[in-house]
Amino acid sequence: MRVPLSWLREYVDLPATETGRDVQAKLVSAGLEVETVEHLGADLKGPLVVGQVLTIEELEGFKKPIRFCTVDVGQANGTGEPQEIVCGARNFAVGDKVVVVLPGATLPGGFSISARKTYGKTSHGMICSSDELGMGDDGTKGIIVLPPETEVGKDAIELLELVDEVLDIAVTANRGDCLSIRGVAREAAIAYGLPLSDPALLDVPGPNAYGYPVEVSDPLGCDRFTARTVTGLSPEARSPIWLQRRLQKVGMRPISLAVDVTNYVMMELGQPLHAYDRSLVQGTIGVRRATEGEQIKTLDGVERKLHAEDLVITDERGPIGLAGVMGGANTEIADHSEAEGTTDVVIEAAHFDAVAIARTARRHKLSSEASRRFERGVDPQAAAAAAQRTVDLLVLLAGGTAEAGVTEVVAPSAPHTIAVPADHPDKVAGVSYGRETVVRRLQEVGCDVYGQDELIVTVPSWRPDLQEINDLAEEVIRLEGYENLPSTLPKPPAGRGLTQRQRLHRRVGRALAGAGYVEAPNYPFVGEQVFDQLLLDAGDPKRRVVKLTNPLSDEEPALRTSLLPGLFAALRRNDGRGSHDLALFETGLVFLPREEQKIAAVLPVDRRPTDDEIAELDAALPEQPRHVAVVLAGAREQAGWWGKGRPADWADAVEAARVVAREAGVELVVRGGQYGPWHPGRCAELVVGDTVVGHAGELHPRVVKAFGLPARTSAMELDLDVLEAAGDDTPQAPSISTFPVATQDVALVVDKFVPHAEVEAALRAGAGELLEGIRLFDVYENEEQLGDGKKSLAYALRFRAGDRTLTVDEASAARDAAVALAGERTGAVLRG
């Protein structure tokens, strides 16, 4: 909601020294979100004056039409002589009053004006359009043509109200009253402690039998309908400058006088209105639900098929408007530029059901200024005042005559009352306000308050969001100032820290960050087509997903079963923006549907749920194990004076898995495998005990292409919950032996297809308890020396005893035992 400060001052006598920033601070303190304060005309500098076109000379020989004009600007140029100006616009003629900017002026955007030679003539200034003055769209797409009675030489900055401040307020869904100048003015009056000049306080004649006939068939959908008639409007009448400028400042485009007046009153009072051309309305105006399949052509020119829940305005022919959303084209007010303009209008000011209007607007994808207000709540008591205000303006500005007939159809209703203890706001806020403060604040927002310890509060018609006692408490608290609430930190009971699971997750994150990875959290939503891109088998359990009833996006209606798609998207996005050396990780939940689907019970809100109720709710939820995943691309080690660097590869993804396993206190077995998105020959299966907990390696080229990833991208994913269950996170103090280590190197020749992990496992088992560590330090392949299909694996074995110095014979015996078992299990032979 855009609120011009000049318009706001009409209803609240703000101090003259108050700026838009000052008002913003006050409104923010009162709970309104004022996003920006726009300074209109801040860099505008005159002279900018009204001129009258005296002559127009068409210049020939140029690619586009050019006109050389002389314009009378009075004494504004200091000489009284006509001003010579070159202009390319075509929408003005001799005798028209226009806006002229003279040399020495500065237009919005820092555009300085000076005399310049162009098209063979010297132009001493400009004839201005609304865009050039920063006024917004006025619908002309050309030069501003002022009313004929405008005085030549008058200051156009003042005339067009070009200097102003506009507050842009983000109105929340519950504060429909603030979608009007009246509502914001009420908040400003409360914030400053000043009286409000309510624009809705008008003398309104009562309903009578002479008004335009109206029949409301659905009083639940429309509980109030006011109709007034104005005749004898001048078809040539145009909206005055002040009205056009106010509409432009709030972000609306002037159209025609009748339409502009209804829009103006809507912005002023918050009550949407609609004006029908009386000559095009046939018979009684009705309000009913649409018949399934009915059609209407709305003002935007679209033919719409109606739903049975849509509220429509009708006449004898059928629908003539979507109630509360948009009028129909068959009763549209004629523009003043048309040959036969509208002279008689019927004004509608009604109150419609918020839910019905919201559903209709979404169903037809037709959000309008009217529907936005009805959705959030409109003051039903303002309908008659809004209709009267519209009638008054049409009579004043278009020379019309207000007919005596007044139609008002009202469904019986009682004001909403709430019983609230006087000390309830104190209990909610933890502050002692006292009864007098509570009553005063509630009265300031328009409530009628009676009672002592138990207050009976009658809610004002413009605040439909005040439904229960906590809403009233919120009003007191916000007006007293959220910033005045004490800040009290909770005191947790001693002995409660992070759980084991939380500690593990934090250690894993720190370890991966220390290894050079950057955390990249992602949304948990996926589309089911992603499983085809991951090359998962048709029966893969990860294809079973939990689907959302109301997804944020129709393209991603399911919850993820893997972290990889989100990381792939983050990698692709960053690579596309120029960051090519990437190492990303994420720890997060995945969602796996249970075999037996249950419907979650609705927990009570008036007491703490029982343990059985919580257990029943948990049983209905999907399984949510926490996973960790990494993805790498580009250089793992940068090139420089220290060396050539190297690219990230599958081994880095495997090492990331080992980093995670070390933090969990788990011994991770790495062996060759094959699964979904990974390259069949470069995929490691990660095993703890007999359980496969994840995979790591280089991605399949088809997966790389499907996700738009860099070539040779590698990835890893592990189930952290399984690691936690299998691991021991008890801190282990390092042991330092006082005895020396004995190192033995062995080179084993095995078949090429034999994995290093199997050879290492055999060596560990054979070496026994004396083996302290084992490291593969060389892989060698040479058909001439080793034979066809063979490779050499060289290991460094470290032996140490905790109670003595090992002899050469003991170390050699342990080595020979390790080699013997490796030969038995894998066919390894000592090279030599």
Side-chain angles (χ1 to χ4, degrees), residues 311-632:
L311 269 176
V312 291
I313 311 298
T314 64
D315 64 4
E316 291 180 351
R317 297 164 296 177
I320 60 173
L322 267 177
V325 180
M326 185 174 286
N330 54 353
T331 57
E332 182 179 7
I333 297 291
D335 188 85
H336 65 79
S337 62
E338 298 181 21
E340 295 182 3
T342 299
T343 59
D344 301 339
V345 297
V346 177
I347 299 162
E348 163 212 314
H351 185 261
F352 301 108
D353 176 60
V355 174
I357 302 306
R359 289 177 176 172
T360 295
R362 284 157 179 74
R363 188 180 297 118
H364 295 283
K365 296 181 173 59
L366 186 61
S367 179
S368 64
E369 292 289 347
S371 68
R372 280 194 286 273
R373 283 162 175 77
F374 280 122
E375 289 173 17
R376 289 162 173 79
V378 170
D379 181 5
Q381 302 293 336
Q388 183 62 47
R389 177 75 164 137
T390 305
V391 168
D392 293 343
L393 287 173
L394 288 176
V395 170
L396 174 67
L397 302 176
T401 301
E403 289 196 350
V406 177
T407 302
E408 192 164 353
V409 180
V410 181
S413 62
H416 181 53
T417 60
I418 304 172
V420 55
D423 62 349
H424 182 68
D426 301 4
K427 295 178 179 179
V428 173
V431 176
S432 180
Y433 292 124
R435 179 188 177 280
E436 291 185 1
T437 299
V438 171
V439 171
R440 174 172 57 85
R441 288 304 190 183
L442 292 177
Q443 288 175 338
E444 285 178 344
V445 299
C447 297
D448 290 330
V449 185
Y450 302 95
Q452 292 298 320
D453 295 338
E454 182 85 5
L455 303 179
I456 305 300
V457 180
T458 302
V459 174
S461 59
W462 58 81
R463 291 299 302 274
D465 59 305
L466 302 182
Q467 292 293 319
E468 47 104 13
I469 60 175
N470 287 324
D471 296 329
L472 300 179
E474 182 184 4
E475 290 300 295
V476 175
I477 295 168
R478 76 176 181 87
L479 293 179
E480 283 296 304
Y482 292 120
E483 68 277 8
N484 295 323
L485 292 177
S487 178
T488 305
L489 295 177
K491 296 179 180 179
R496 294 187 182 181
L498 298 177
T499 65
Q500 180 179 345
R501 189 184 195 209
Q502 291 169 331
R503 288 196 300 269
L504 173 60
H505 297 160
R506 293 196 180 187
R507 289 202 310 273
V508 167
R510 285 195 294 265
L512 288 175
Y517 291 84
V518 177
E519 188 171 14
N522 297 285
Y523 289 116
F525 311 116
V526 295
E528 293 185 80
Q529 76 282 353
V530 78
F531 302 120
D532 295 328
Q533 296 173 324
L534 290 174
L535 305 182
L536 298 185
D537 295 335
D540 195 296
K542 288 187 177 180
R543 284 184 175 270
R544 293 185 64 240
V545 295
V546 177
K547 290 188 177 180
L548 301 173
T549 303
N550 188 21
L552 295 178
S553 169
D554 292 337
E555 297 179 357
E556 295 180 330
L559 293 175
R560 66 189 178 190
T561 57
S562 168
L563 301 182
L564 292 180
L567 282 176
F568 291 167
L571 182 74
R572 180 181 65 248
R573 184 164 53 250
N574 284 277
D575 181 70
R577 294 176 180 175
S579 298
H580 304 302
D581 303 325
L582 296 161
L584 308 178
F585 85 93
E586 180 181 7
T587 59
L589 301 179
V590 298
F591 305 86
L592 309 176
R594 299 182 186 271
E595 294 297 331
E596 181 183 356
Q597 298 291 331
K598 297 182 179 179
I599 298 177
V602 178
L603 296 181
V605 296
D606 58 342
R607 58 175 173 82
R608 184 190 183 280
T610 65
D611 293 341
D612 290 341
E613 289 173 331
I614 295 176
E616 184 181 355
L617 177 64
D618 289 339
L621 298 176
E623 296 181 16
Q624 301 175 53
R626 186 175 290 270
H627 283 200
V628 58
V630 305
V631 60
L632 307 97

Side-chain angles (χ1 to χ4, degrees), residues 557-820:
L559 293 175
R560 66 189 178 190
T561 57
S562 168
L563 301 182
L564 292 180
L567 282 176
F568 291 167
L571 182 74
R572 180 181 65 248
R573 184 164 53 250
N574 284 277
D575 181 70
R577 294 176 180 175
S579 298
H580 304 302
D581 303 325
L582 296 161
L584 308 178
F585 85 93
E586 180 181 7
T587 59
L589 301 179
V590 298
F591 305 86
L592 309 176
R594 299 182 186 271
E595 294 297 331
E596 181 183 356
Q597 298 291 331
K598 297 182 179 179
I599 298 177
V602 178
L603 296 181
V605 296
D606 58 342
R607 58 175 173 82
R608 184 190 183 280
T610 65
D611 293 341
D612 290 341
E613 289 173 331
I614 295 176
E616 184 181 355
L617 177 64
D618 289 339
L621 298 176
E623 296 181 16
Q624 301 175 53
R626 186 175 290 270
H627 283 200
V628 58
V630 305
V631 60
L632 307 97
R636 186 63 176 146
E637 295 179 3
Q638 295 291 337
W641 58 265
W642 53 85
K644 295 181 180 179
R646 69 174 183 84
D649 61 15
W650 62 269
D652 294 299
V654 174
E655 180 58 26
R658 289 196 174 102
V659 169
V660 174
R662 283 195 294 270
E663 294 298 325
V666 173
E667 184 177 349
L668 190 68
V669 177
V670 180
R671 66 191 186 195
Q674 182 174 342
Y675 182 70
W678 281 277
H679 194 295
R682 298 166 190 161
C683 174
E685 193 172 68
L686 309 174
V687 182
V688 173
D690 296 328
T691 305
V692 177
V693 295
H695 294 83
E698 184 179 315
L699 294 176
H700 196 291
R702 286 166 57 189
V703 174
V704 169
K705 181 179 180 181
F707 285 95
L709 305 177
R712 310 300 294 269
T713 297
S714 299
M716 177 277 292
E717 184 168 13
L718 277 174
D719 189 329
L720 263 183
D721 285 356
V722 175
L723 292 183
E724 179 193 351
D728 180 7
D729 66 347
T730 303
Q732 299 291 329
S735 60
I736 301 175
S737 176
T738 59
F739 299 98
V741 66
T743 303
Q744 298 275 351
D745 293 346
V746 294
L748 303 178
V749 178
V750 296
D751 293 331
K752 283 187 177 180
F753 63 83
V754 176
H756 142 68
E758 292 184 11
V759 178
E760 181 182 321
L763 289 172
R764 285 182 182 277
E769 295 180 355
L770 294 179
L771 181 67
E772 182 181 78
I774 182 170
R775 179 174 63 89
L776 175 69
F777 65 85
D778 185 50
V779 178
Y780 177 70
E781 295 181 10
N782 188 309
E783 292 185 2
E784 294 181 0
Q785 296 185 16
L786 303 178
D788 187 23
K790 299 292 184 178
K791 65 182 177 182
S792 171
L793 303 176
Y795 293 91
L797 307 179
R798 292 169 56 89
F799 298 99
R800 194 191 316 252
D803 57 351
R804 68 189 186 281
T805 299
L806 293 177
T807 65
V808 173
D809 291 341
E810 287 178 312
S812 297
R815 180 202 64 186
D816 292 342
V819 172

